[in-house]
Amino acid sequence: MTESPRPSRWSRPLRFGLSALVLLAIAAGAAYRWIETMPVGTGEVRVSPDGRYSASVFDYFDRDFFTNESRRWFEFRVTGPGADYTFTGTPLPGPYFGSRSSHSVIRWEPDSSAVRFVFPTSELRIGVRPAER
């Protein structure tokens, strides 16, 4: 009868260490990919003339985690007393706007009754309070 060789006293810690290293590499790769595919955006925010409402428009871009397919969208938002509107849609053609631009697409009515998002080919108008009589 032949005797099987005894495992080295280092084989178990070595296997554990290599497994931990492989799991750490997979986790680091997934974390990098997650950060790489996070949404990135720019936009602008304007407060109404009376200071009660806020309007914002953001241009977002991201990539799918698995397919790397790119996606771009606009998000419009108006908030204040009695108003909480959020619209998401495809980007509108028009001027570059956002944190690094001097161009503004948000225009408030002087009496703060409505806000307009103005683009060359379209305009979105949102009323925030009923007209006073």
Short mmCIF file of all heavy atoms in Angstrom, two decimals, residues 8-72:
data_model
loop_
_atom_site.label_atom_id
_atom_site.label_comp_id
_atom_site.label_asym_id
_atom_site.label_seq_id
_atom_site.Cartn_x
_atom_site.Cartn_y
_atom_site.Cartn_z
N SER A 8 1.23 20.21 2.13
CA SER A 8 2.12 21.15 2.79
C SER A 8 1.34 22.00 3.77
O SER A 8 0.16 22.29 3.58
CB SER A 8 2.77 22.04 1.74
OG SER A 8 3.37 23.15 2.33
N ARG A 9 1.98 22.44 4.83
CA ARG A 9 1.28 23.27 5.81
C ARG A 9 0.96 24.66 5.24
O ARG A 9 0.20 25.40 5.79
CB ARG A 9 2.05 23.37 7.10
CG ARG A 9 3.32 24.13 6.99
CD ARG A 9 4.01 24.22 8.31
NE ARG A 9 5.20 25.03 8.16
CZ ARG A 9 5.95 25.40 9.14
NH1 ARG A 9 5.67 25.03 10.35
NH2 ARG A 9 7.00 26.13 8.92
N TRP A 10 1.53 25.01 4.10
CA TRP A 10 1.29 26.31 3.48
C TRP A 10 0.21 26.24 2.40
O TRP A 10 -0.23 27.27 1.92
CB TRP A 10 2.57 26.84 2.84
CG TRP A 10 3.62 27.13 3.86
CD1 TRP A 10 4.72 26.39 4.13
CD2 TRP A 10 3.64 28.22 4.76
NE1 TRP A 10 5.44 26.94 5.14
CE2 TRP A 10 4.79 28.10 5.55
CE3 TRP A 10 2.80 29.31 5.00
CZ2 TRP A 10 5.12 28.99 6.55
CZ3 TRP A 10 3.14 30.20 5.98
CH2 TRP A 10 4.28 30.04 6.75
N SER A 11 -0.25 25.08 2.01
CA SER A 11 -1.20 24.97 0.90
C SER A 11 -2.55 25.60 1.23
O SER A 11 -3.15 26.27 0.40
CB SER A 11 -1.37 23.52 0.46
OG SER A 11 -1.99 22.75 1.47
N ARG A 12 -3.06 25.39 2.42
CA ARG A 12 -4.36 25.97 2.78
C ARG A 12 -4.30 27.51 2.84
O ARG A 12 -5.13 28.17 2.23
CB ARG A 12 -4.86 25.39 4.09
CG ARG A 12 -6.24 25.95 4.45
CD ARG A 12 -6.81 25.28 5.64
NE ARG A 12 -7.31 23.98 5.19
CZ ARG A 12 -7.82 23.08 5.98
NH1 ARG A 12 -7.86 23.30 7.27
NH2 ARG A 12 -8.26 21.94 5.52
N PRO A 13 -3.35 28.12 3.54
CA PRO A 13 -3.27 29.59 3.55
C PRO A 13 -3.01 30.17 2.16
O PRO A 13 -3.50 31.23 1.81
CB PRO A 13 -2.11 29.91 4.50
CG PRO A 13 -1.97 28.70 5.35
CD PRO A 13 -2.41 27.54 4.50
N LEU A 14 -2.24 29.43 1.34
CA LEU A 14 -1.96 29.91 0.00
C LEU A 14 -3.23 29.92 -0.85
O LEU A 14 -3.51 30.90 -1.55
CB LEU A 14 -0.89 29.02 -0.66
CG LEU A 14 -0.43 29.46 -2.04
CD1 LEU A 14 0.21 30.84 -1.97
CD2 LEU A 14 0.54 28.44 -2.62
N ARG A 15 -4.03 28.86 -0.77
CA ARG A 15 -5.30 28.83 -1.51
C ARG A 15 -6.25 29.92 -1.02
O ARG A 15 -6.91 30.58 -1.81
CB ARG A 15 -5.98 27.46 -1.36
CG ARG A 15 -5.38 26.43 -2.29
CD ARG A 15 -6.15 25.16 -2.22
NE ARG A 15 -5.76 24.51 -0.96
CZ ARG A 15 -6.36 23.47 -0.43
NH1 ARG A 15 -7.38 22.93 -1.02
NH2 ARG A 15 -5.94 22.95 0.70
N PHE A 16 -6.32 30.12 0.29
CA PHE A 16 -7.17 31.18 0.85
C PHE A 16 -6.71 32.56 0.37
O PHE A 16 -7.52 33.39 -0.03
CB PHE A 16 -7.15 31.12 2.38
CG PHE A 16 -7.95 32.21 3.01
CD1 PHE A 16 -9.33 32.17 3.04
CD2 PHE A 16 -7.32 33.32 3.58
CE1 PHE A 16 -10.07 33.19 3.61
CE2 PHE A 16 -8.04 34.34 4.15
CZ PHE A 16 -9.43 34.27 4.17
N GLY A 17 -5.42 32.79 0.39
CA GLY A 17 -4.88 34.08 -0.03
C GLY A 17 -5.13 34.35 -1.51
O GLY A 17 -5.52 35.46 -1.90
N LEU A 18 -4.95 33.34 -2.35
CA LEU A 18 -5.20 33.51 -3.78
C LEU A 18 -6.69 33.75 -4.05
O LEU A 18 -7.05 34.57 -4.89
CB LEU A 18 -4.70 32.30 -4.56
CG LEU A 18 -3.19 32.17 -4.71
CD1 LEU A 18 -2.82 30.86 -5.40
CD2 LEU A 18 -2.62 33.35 -5.46
N SER A 19 -7.55 33.03 -3.35
CA SER A 19 -9.00 33.24 -3.51
C SER A 19 -9.39 34.65 -3.10
O SER A 19 -10.18 35.31 -3.78
CB SER A 19 -9.79 32.22 -2.67
OG SER A 19 -9.52 30.92 -3.09
N ALA A 20 -8.84 35.12 -1.99
CA ALA A 20 -9.14 36.48 -1.52
C ALA A 20 -8.64 37.51 -2.53
O ALA A 20 -9.31 38.51 -2.80
CB ALA A 20 -8.51 36.72 -0.16
N LEU A 21 -7.47 37.27 -3.11
CA LEU A 21 -6.91 38.18 -4.10
C LEU A 21 -7.78 38.23 -5.36
O LEU A 21 -8.03 39.31 -5.91
CB LEU A 21 -5.48 37.75 -4.45
CG LEU A 21 -4.65 38.72 -5.25
CD1 LEU A 21 -4.49 40.03 -4.50
CD2 LEU A 21 -3.29 38.12 -5.55
N VAL A 22 -8.27 37.09 -5.82
CA VAL A 22 -9.14 37.04 -6.99
C VAL A 22 -10.45 37.77 -6.71
O VAL A 22 -10.92 38.57 -7.53
CB VAL A 22 -9.39 35.58 -7.42
CG1 VAL A 22 -10.53 35.49 -8.42
CG2 VAL A 22 -8.13 34.96 -8.00
N LEU A 23 -11.05 37.53 -5.54
CA LEU A 23 -12.29 38.23 -5.19
C LEU A 23 -12.08 39.74 -5.08
O LEU A 23 -12.93 40.53 -5.50
CB LEU A 23 -12.86 37.68 -3.88
CG LEU A 23 -13.48 36.30 -3.96
CD1 LEU A 23 -13.90 35.82 -2.58
CD2 LEU A 23 -14.66 36.30 -4.90
N LEU A 24 -10.96 40.15 -4.54
CA LEU A 24 -10.64 41.57 -4.43
C LEU A 24 -10.48 42.20 -5.82
O LEU A 24 -10.97 43.31 -6.06
CB LEU A 24 -9.37 41.76 -3.61
CG LEU A 24 -8.95 43.20 -3.33
CD1 LEU A 24 -10.02 43.90 -2.49
CD2 LEU A 24 -7.62 43.22 -2.61
N ALA A 25 -9.85 41.49 -6.73
CA ALA A 25 -9.69 42.01 -8.10
C ALA A 25 -11.04 42.14 -8.80
O ALA A 25 -11.30 43.13 -9.49
CB ALA A 25 -8.75 41.09 -8.89
N ILE A 26 -11.92 41.15 -8.63
CA ILE A 26 -13.25 41.22 -9.22
C ILE A 26 -14.04 42.38 -8.64
O ILE A 26 -14.70 43.14 -9.37
CB ILE A 26 -14.00 39.88 -9.04
CG1 ILE A 26 -13.36 38.80 -9.90
CG2 ILE A 26 -15.48 40.02 -9.37
CD1 ILE A 26 -13.86 37.40 -9.62
N ALA A 27 -13.99 42.56 -7.32
CA ALA A 27 -14.70 43.67 -6.67
C ALA A 27 -14.15 45.02 -7.14
O ALA A 27 -14.92 45.96 -7.38
CB ALA A 27 -14.59 43.54 -5.16
N ALA A 28 -12.84 45.13 -7.28
CA ALA A 28 -12.24 46.39 -7.75
C ALA A 28 -12.67 46.68 -9.18
O ALA A 28 -12.99 47.83 -9.53
CB ALA A 28 -10.72 46.33 -7.64
N GLY A 29 -12.70 45.66 -10.03
CA GLY A 29 -13.15 45.85 -11.41
C GLY A 29 -14.60 46.27 -11.49
O GLY A 29 -14.97 47.15 -12.27
N ALA A 30 -15.46 45.65 -10.68
CA ALA A 30 -16.88 46.01 -10.67
C ALA A 30 -17.07 47.43 -10.15
O ALA A 30 -17.89 48.19 -10.67
CB ALA A 30 -17.67 45.02 -9.83
N ALA A 31 -16.32 47.83 -9.12
CA ALA A 31 -16.43 49.19 -8.58
C ALA A 31 -15.98 50.22 -9.61
O ALA A 31 -16.63 51.26 -9.78
CB ALA A 31 -15.59 49.31 -7.30
N TYR A 32 -14.91 49.94 -10.31
CA TYR A 32 -14.44 50.84 -11.37
C TYR A 32 -15.49 50.98 -12.46
O TYR A 32 -15.79 52.08 -12.91
CB TYR A 32 -13.12 50.33 -11.95
CG TYR A 32 -12.64 51.16 -13.11
CD1 TYR A 32 -12.03 52.39 -12.89
CD2 TYR A 32 -12.82 50.74 -14.42
CE1 TYR A 32 -11.60 53.17 -13.96
CE2 TYR A 32 -12.40 51.50 -15.49
CZ TYR A 32 -11.79 52.71 -15.25
OH TYR A 32 -11.37 53.48 -16.31
N ARG A 33 -16.07 49.87 -12.88
CA ARG A 33 -17.10 49.90 -13.93
C ARG A 33 -18.33 50.66 -13.47
O ARG A 33 -18.93 51.41 -14.23
CB ARG A 33 -17.46 48.47 -14.34
CG ARG A 33 -18.47 48.40 -15.43
CD ARG A 33 -17.92 48.93 -16.73
NE ARG A 33 -18.95 48.84 -17.76
CZ ARG A 33 -18.96 49.57 -18.84
NH1 ARG A 33 -17.98 50.42 -19.08
NH2 ARG A 33 -19.92 49.46 -19.71
N TRP A 34 -18.71 50.48 -12.21
CA TRP A 34 -19.88 51.18 -11.67
C TRP A 34 -19.63 52.70 -11.69
O TRP A 34 -20.49 53.47 -12.10
CB TRP A 34 -20.17 50.69 -10.26
CG TRP A 34 -21.33 51.38 -9.63
CD1 TRP A 34 -22.66 51.25 -9.96
CD2 TRP A 34 -21.29 52.32 -8.57
NE1 TRP A 34 -23.44 52.04 -9.16
CE2 TRP A 34 -22.62 52.72 -8.29
CE3 TRP A 34 -20.26 52.88 -7.81
CZ2 TRP A 34 -22.93 53.63 -7.30
CZ3 TRP A 34 -20.58 53.78 -6.83
CH2 TRP A 34 -21.90 54.15 -6.58
N ILE A 35 -18.45 53.12 -11.27
CA ILE A 35 -18.12 54.55 -11.27
C ILE A 35 -18.07 55.08 -12.70
O ILE A 35 -18.54 56.17 -12.99
CB ILE A 35 -16.79 54.80 -10.53
CG1 ILE A 35 -16.98 54.57 -9.04
CG2 ILE A 35 -16.26 56.21 -10.79
CD1 ILE A 35 -15.71 54.55 -8.24
N GLU A 36 -17.52 54.29 -13.61
CA GLU A 36 -17.39 54.69 -15.00
C GLU A 36 -18.75 54.87 -15.69
O GLU A 36 -18.88 55.67 -16.62
CB GLU A 36 -16.58 53.63 -15.75
CG GLU A 36 -16.24 53.97 -17.16
CD GLU A 36 -15.46 52.86 -17.83
OE1 GLU A 36 -15.88 51.70 -17.77
OE2 GLU A 36 -14.42 53.19 -18.41
N THR A 37 -19.78 54.15 -15.25
CA THR A 37 -21.09 54.21 -15.90
C THR A 37 -22.10 55.05 -15.14
O THR A 37 -23.27 55.09 -15.53
CB THR A 37 -21.66 52.78 -16.08
OG1 THR A 37 -21.80 52.16 -14.80
CG2 THR A 37 -20.79 51.95 -16.98
N MET A 38 -21.70 55.74 -14.10
CA MET A 38 -22.63 56.60 -13.35
C MET A 38 -23.08 57.77 -14.22
O MET A 38 -22.32 58.25 -15.06
CB MET A 38 -21.94 57.16 -12.09
CG MET A 38 -21.72 56.12 -11.03
SD MET A 38 -20.81 56.77 -9.61
CE MET A 38 -21.89 58.04 -9.05
N PRO A 39 -24.32 58.24 -14.03
CA PRO A 39 -24.79 59.39 -14.81
C PRO A 39 -23.96 60.64 -14.53
O PRO A 39 -23.58 60.91 -13.39
CB PRO A 39 -26.23 59.59 -14.34
CG PRO A 39 -26.61 58.32 -13.70
CD PRO A 39 -25.36 57.71 -13.17
N VAL A 40 -23.72 61.39 -15.58
CA VAL A 40 -23.01 62.67 -15.49
C VAL A 40 -23.92 63.70 -16.14
O VAL A 40 -24.52 63.45 -17.18
CB VAL A 40 -21.66 62.61 -16.24
CG1 VAL A 40 -20.97 63.94 -16.23
CG2 VAL A 40 -20.78 61.53 -15.65
N GLY A 41 -24.03 64.86 -15.51
CA GLY A 41 -24.92 65.86 -16.09
C GLY A 41 -24.50 67.27 -15.77
O GLY A 41 -23.67 67.53 -14.90
N THR A 42 -25.11 68.17 -16.51
CA THR A 42 -24.94 69.60 -16.27
C THR A 42 -26.30 70.23 -16.44
O THR A 42 -27.18 69.67 -17.08
CB THR A 42 -23.91 70.22 -17.23
OG1 THR A 42 -23.66 71.57 -16.82
CG2 THR A 42 -24.38 70.20 -18.67
N GLY A 43 -26.48 71.37 -15.87
CA GLY A 43 -27.78 72.01 -16.00
C GLY A 43 -27.80 73.37 -15.34
O GLY A 43 -26.76 73.92 -14.98
N GLU A 44 -29.01 73.87 -15.20
CA GLU A 44 -29.16 75.17 -14.55
C GLU A 44 -30.37 75.15 -13.64
O GLU A 44 -31.31 74.37 -13.84
CB GLU A 44 -29.26 76.29 -15.57
CG GLU A 44 -30.51 76.29 -16.41
CD GLU A 44 -30.57 77.48 -17.34
OE1 GLU A 44 -31.00 78.56 -16.90
OE2 GLU A 44 -30.20 77.31 -18.53
N VAL A 45 -30.34 76.02 -12.66
CA VAL A 45 -31.42 76.18 -11.70
C VAL A 45 -31.71 77.66 -11.57
O VAL A 45 -30.78 78.47 -11.45
CB VAL A 45 -31.03 75.60 -10.31
CG1 VAL A 45 -32.14 75.81 -9.31
CG2 VAL A 45 -30.65 74.14 -10.42
N ARG A 46 -32.98 78.04 -11.61
CA ARG A 46 -33.38 79.44 -11.43
C ARG A 46 -34.52 79.51 -10.42
O ARG A 46 -35.48 78.74 -10.50
CB ARG A 46 -33.87 80.04 -12.74
CG ARG A 46 -32.86 80.08 -13.84
CD ARG A 46 -32.10 81.38 -13.83
NE ARG A 46 -31.21 81.38 -14.97
CZ ARG A 46 -29.91 81.57 -14.86
NH1 ARG A 46 -29.37 81.81 -13.72
NH2 ARG A 46 -29.15 81.56 -15.93
N VAL A 47 -34.41 80.44 -9.52
CA VAL A 47 -35.46 80.70 -8.53
C VAL A 47 -36.40 81.75 -9.09
O VAL A 47 -35.97 82.67 -9.80
CB VAL A 47 -34.83 81.17 -7.19
CG1 VAL A 47 -35.90 81.51 -6.18
CG2 VAL A 47 -33.89 80.10 -6.65
N SER A 48 -37.69 81.61 -8.79
CA SER A 48 -38.69 82.55 -9.30
C SER A 48 -38.44 83.95 -8.72
O SER A 48 -37.80 84.09 -7.68
CB SER A 48 -40.09 82.07 -8.94
OG SER A 48 -40.26 82.07 -7.53
N PRO A 49 -38.97 84.99 -9.37
CA PRO A 49 -38.77 86.35 -8.88
C PRO A 49 -39.25 86.57 -7.45
O PRO A 49 -38.66 87.35 -6.71
CB PRO A 49 -39.56 87.21 -9.87
CG PRO A 49 -39.56 86.43 -11.13
CD PRO A 49 -39.62 84.99 -10.69
N ASP A 50 -40.32 85.88 -7.04
CA ASP A 50 -40.80 86.04 -5.66
C ASP A 50 -40.08 85.12 -4.68
O ASP A 50 -40.33 85.16 -3.48
CB ASP A 50 -42.31 85.85 -5.57
CG ASP A 50 -42.77 84.44 -5.86
OD1 ASP A 50 -41.92 83.55 -6.07
OD2 ASP A 50 -44.00 84.20 -5.88
N GLY A 51 -39.19 84.26 -5.17
CA GLY A 51 -38.39 83.40 -4.32
C GLY A 51 -39.10 82.16 -3.78
O GLY A 51 -38.53 81.43 -2.99
N ARG A 52 -40.32 81.92 -4.21
CA ARG A 52 -41.09 80.79 -3.67
C ARG A 52 -40.92 79.51 -4.47
O ARG A 52 -41.16 78.42 -3.97
CB ARG A 52 -42.57 81.16 -3.63
CG ARG A 52 -42.86 82.33 -2.68
CD ARG A 52 -44.30 82.79 -2.75
NE ARG A 52 -45.19 81.67 -2.45
CZ ARG A 52 -46.45 81.60 -2.85
NH1 ARG A 52 -46.97 82.57 -3.56
NH2 ARG A 52 -47.20 80.57 -2.54
N TYR A 53 -40.53 79.60 -5.72
CA TYR A 53 -40.44 78.44 -6.60
C TYR A 53 -39.03 78.29 -7.16
O TYR A 53 -38.27 79.26 -7.21
CB TYR A 53 -41.44 78.57 -7.76
CG TYR A 53 -42.86 78.68 -7.30
CD1 TYR A 53 -43.46 79.93 -7.14
CD2 TYR A 53 -43.60 77.55 -7.01
CE1 TYR A 53 -44.77 80.04 -6.71
CE2 TYR A 53 -44.91 77.65 -6.58
CZ TYR A 53 -45.49 78.90 -6.43
OH TYR A 53 -46.79 79.00 -5.99
N SER A 54 -38.74 77.08 -7.60
CA SER A 54 -37.45 76.81 -8.21
C SER A 54 -37.67 75.96 -9.46
O SER A 54 -38.46 75.01 -9.43
CB SER A 54 -36.56 76.05 -7.22
OG SER A 54 -35.35 75.68 -7.82
N ALA A 55 -36.98 76.29 -10.52
CA ALA A 55 -37.05 75.52 -11.77
C ALA A 55 -35.65 75.07 -12.14
O ALA A 55 -34.67 75.80 -11.95
CB ALA A 55 -37.64 76.37 -12.89
N SER A 56 -35.57 73.84 -12.64
CA SER A 56 -34.26 73.34 -13.05
C SER A 56 -34.40 72.49 -14.31
O SER A 56 -35.45 71.90 -14.56
CB SER A 56 -33.62 72.50 -11.93
OG SER A 56 -34.40 71.37 -11.65
N VAL A 57 -33.35 72.46 -15.08
CA VAL A 57 -33.26 71.58 -16.25
C VAL A 57 -31.84 71.04 -16.28
O VAL A 57 -30.87 71.78 -16.10
CB VAL A 57 -33.64 72.31 -17.56
CG1 VAL A 57 -32.74 73.50 -17.82
CG2 VAL A 57 -33.62 71.33 -18.73
N PHE A 58 -31.73 69.71 -16.44
CA PHE A 58 -30.44 69.06 -16.46
C PHE A 58 -30.32 68.17 -17.69
O PHE A 58 -31.28 67.53 -18.11
CB PHE A 58 -30.22 68.22 -15.20
CG PHE A 58 -29.96 69.05 -13.98
CD1 PHE A 58 -31.00 69.42 -13.16
CD2 PHE A 58 -28.68 69.47 -13.68
CE1 PHE A 58 -30.78 70.20 -12.04
CE2 PHE A 58 -28.44 70.25 -12.57
CZ PHE A 58 -29.49 70.62 -11.75
N ASP A 59 -29.14 68.13 -18.25
CA ASP A 59 -28.80 67.29 -19.40
C ASP A 59 -27.90 66.17 -18.87
O ASP A 59 -26.79 66.43 -18.41
CB ASP A 59 -28.06 68.14 -20.44
CG ASP A 59 -27.70 67.39 -21.70
OD1 ASP A 59 -27.99 66.18 -21.79
OD2 ASP A 59 -27.13 68.02 -22.60
N TYR A 60 -28.40 64.93 -18.88
CA TYR A 60 -27.67 63.78 -18.34
C TYR A 60 -27.17 62.85 -19.43
O TYR A 60 -27.77 62.74 -20.49
CB TYR A 60 -28.56 62.97 -17.40
CG TYR A 60 -28.84 63.62 -16.08
CD1 TYR A 60 -30.09 64.16 -15.80
CD2 TYR A 60 -27.86 63.69 -15.10
CE1 TYR A 60 -30.36 64.74 -14.58
CE2 TYR A 60 -28.13 64.27 -13.87
CZ TYR A 60 -29.37 64.79 -13.62
OH TYR A 60 -29.63 65.38 -12.41
N PHE A 61 -26.09 62.14 -19.11
CA PHE A 61 -25.51 61.13 -19.99
C PHE A 61 -25.00 59.99 -19.12
O PHE A 61 -24.43 60.22 -18.05
CB PHE A 61 -24.34 61.74 -20.77
CG PHE A 61 -23.53 60.73 -21.52
CD1 PHE A 61 -23.93 60.29 -22.78
CD2 PHE A 61 -22.37 60.20 -20.98
CE1 PHE A 61 -23.18 59.35 -23.47
CE2 PHE A 61 -21.62 59.26 -21.66
CZ PHE A 61 -22.04 58.84 -22.91
N ASP A 62 -25.22 58.75 -19.55
CA ASP A 62 -24.63 57.60 -18.88
C ASP A 62 -24.45 56.45 -19.86
O ASP A 62 -24.82 56.55 -21.02
CB ASP A 62 -25.43 57.17 -17.66
CG ASP A 62 -26.73 56.44 -17.98
OD1 ASP A 62 -27.10 56.32 -19.16
OD2 ASP A 62 -27.40 55.98 -17.04
N ARG A 63 -23.84 55.39 -19.38
CA ARG A 63 -23.64 54.16 -20.16
C ARG A 63 -24.16 52.99 -19.34
O ARG A 63 -24.04 52.97 -18.13
CB ARG A 63 -22.17 53.94 -20.49
CG ARG A 63 -21.62 54.97 -21.43
CD ARG A 63 -20.26 54.53 -21.97
NE ARG A 63 -19.81 55.40 -23.01
CZ ARG A 63 -20.17 55.31 -24.28
NH1 ARG A 63 -20.98 54.37 -24.67
NH2 ARG A 63 -19.71 56.15 -25.18
N ASP A 64 -24.72 51.99 -20.04
CA ASP A 64 -25.22 50.80 -19.37
C ASP A 64 -24.04 50.00 -18.81
O ASP A 64 -23.01 49.86 -19.46
CB ASP A 64 -26.03 49.94 -20.35
CG ASP A 64 -26.65 48.77 -19.67
OD1 ASP A 64 -27.74 48.93 -19.08
OD2 ASP A 64 -26.05 47.68 -19.72
N PHE A 65 -24.20 49.48 -17.61
CA PHE A 65 -23.14 48.75 -16.93
C PHE A 65 -22.67 47.55 -17.73
O PHE A 65 -21.47 47.29 -17.84
CB PHE A 65 -23.64 48.30 -15.55
CG PHE A 65 -22.59 47.66 -14.69
CD1 PHE A 65 -21.79 48.43 -13.87
CD2 PHE A 65 -22.41 46.28 -14.68
CE1 PHE A 65 -20.82 47.85 -13.07
CE2 PHE A 65 -21.44 45.69 -13.89
CZ PHE A 65 -20.64 46.47 -13.08
N PHE A 66 -23.58 46.79 -18.31
CA PHE A 66 -23.23 45.55 -19.00
C PHE A 66 -23.01 45.72 -20.50
O PHE A 66 -22.08 45.15 -21.06
CB PHE A 66 -24.30 44.48 -18.75
CG PHE A 66 -24.40 44.08 -17.30
CD1 PHE A 66 -25.46 44.52 -16.53
CD2 PHE A 66 -23.43 43.30 -16.72
CE1 PHE A 66 -25.54 44.17 -15.20
CE2 PHE A 66 -23.50 42.95 -15.38
CZ PHE A 66 -24.57 43.38 -14.61
N THR A 67 -23.86 46.50 -21.17
CA THR A 67 -23.79 46.60 -22.62
C THR A 67 -22.97 47.78 -23.11
O THR A 67 -22.66 47.86 -24.29
CB THR A 67 -25.20 46.72 -23.23
OG1 THR A 67 -25.78 47.95 -22.80
CG2 THR A 67 -26.06 45.55 -22.83
N ASN A 68 -22.66 48.73 -22.25
CA ASN A 68 -21.93 49.96 -22.58
C ASN A 68 -22.72 50.85 -23.55
O ASN A 68 -22.17 51.75 -24.17
CB ASN A 68 -20.54 49.65 -23.15
CG ASN A 68 -19.60 50.81 -22.97
OD1 ASN A 68 -19.63 51.50 -21.95
ND2 ASN A 68 -18.75 51.05 -23.94
N GLU A 69 -24.01 50.59 -23.70
CA GLU A 69 -24.86 51.41 -24.57
C GLU A 69 -25.05 52.78 -23.92
O GLU A 69 -25.38 52.89 -22.75
CB GLU A 69 -26.21 50.73 -24.75
CG GLU A 69 -27.13 51.45 -25.69
CD GLU A 69 -28.44 50.72 -25.87
OE1 GLU A 69 -28.44 49.48 -25.85
OE2 GLU A 69 -29.46 51.41 -26.02
N SER A 70 -24.84 53.85 -24.70
CA SER A 70 -24.96 55.20 -24.15
C SER A 70 -26.42 55.65 -24.16
O SER A 70 -27.22 55.20 -24.97
CB SER A 70 -24.10 56.18 -24.93
OG SER A 70 -24.57 56.30 -26.24
N ARG A 71 -26.72 56.54 -23.23
CA ARG A 71 -28.08 57.07 -23.09
C ARG A 71 -27.95 58.54 -22.68
O ARG A 71 -27.08 58.89 -21.89
CB ARG A 71 -28.83 56.28 -22.02
CG ARG A 71 -30.25 56.69 -21.83
CD ARG A 71 -30.96 55.76 -20.87
NE ARG A 71 -30.46 55.91 -19.52
CZ ARG A 71 -31.22 56.21 -18.48
NH1 ARG A 71 -32.51 56.35 -18.61
NH2 ARG A 71 -30.70 56.33 -17.28
N ARG A 72 -28.80 59.38 -23.23
CA ARG A 72 -28.82 60.81 -22.90
C ARG A 72 -30.26 61.24 -22.72
O ARG A 72 -31.14 60.82 -23.48
CB ARG A 72 -28.17 61.60 -24.04
CG ARG A 72 -28.00 63.06 -23.70
CD ARG A 72 -27.17 63.77 -24.75
NE ARG A 72 -27.26 65.19 -24.53
CZ ARG A 72 -27.58 66.07 -25.44
NH1 ARG A 72 -27.80 65.69 -26.69
NH2 ARG A 72 -27.67 67.34 -25.14
#
